[in-house]
Amino acid sequence: MLSKTKKGASTAVAALAAAAAFSMVGPAGTAFAIDKVECTPGENFLKIWSHSPTLPPQDSVDCYANGGKTEFGGWWVDRISTGNNAVILYDNNGDQTRYEPGTVKDIDPEAKINAIEIV
């Protein structure tokens, strides 16, 4: 038979383990992950016009939805439309530039971006 002290300690350890597991996983349905989505007219997604750092440069137009941060691969951003989102661009110099919702802006000079974040 377990003593009350040992039984209490094992219950506390089990509770701590459950709390730790829950905090690492979090409740279902509340996780956010930025997603690359199809650019659809009329949608208020983050939209980025960019070109590759390679020669010859390749042009790209990409749209993103949902909050989160993702790598952008050092592409040069020419223009941004934030849609309904606040957005942070992380450039290769370590600078961060925040754009508020509803911003449509030509980036001059173009910025070499390592990561983007929808906040």
Side-chain angles (χ1 to χ4, degrees):
M1 183 162 122
L2 291 174
S3 72
K4 287 184 181 182
T5 305
K6 286 184 180 177
K7 189 174 184 179
S10 65
T11 301
V13 168
L16 271 171
F22 184 73
S23 67
M24 289 171 47
V25 174
T30 61
F32 295 97
I34 191 168
D35 294 307
K36 195 171 188 179
V37 296
E38 183 177 336
C39 293
T40 306
E43 293 292 339
N44 286 312
F45 299 134
L46 164 61
K47 189 172 187 177
I48 299 175
W49 291 259
S50 61
H51 62 275
S52 68
T54 60
L55 292 176
Q58 299 172 337
D59 293 330
S60 184
V61 179
D62 301 296
C63 291
Y64 296 87
N66 302 319
K69 185 175 178 180
T70 189
E71 296 300 313
F72 200 68
W75 281 55
W76 293 91
V77 171
D78 307 303
R79 182 178 173 92
I80 185 172
S81 174
T82 61
N84 289 335
N85 307 291
V87 175
I88 300 173
L89 300 182
Y90 297 85
D91 74 17
N92 69 321
N93 295 322
D95 292 334
Q96 301 173 18
T97 305
R98 180 183 172 105
Y99 297 94
E100 295 304 320
T103 300
V104 178
K105 182 171 178 61
D106 290 325
I107 309 298
D108 188 29
E110 300 140 342
K112 188 173 185 180
I113 301 300
N114 292 332
I116 59 174
E117 182 176 12
I118 297 176
V119 293

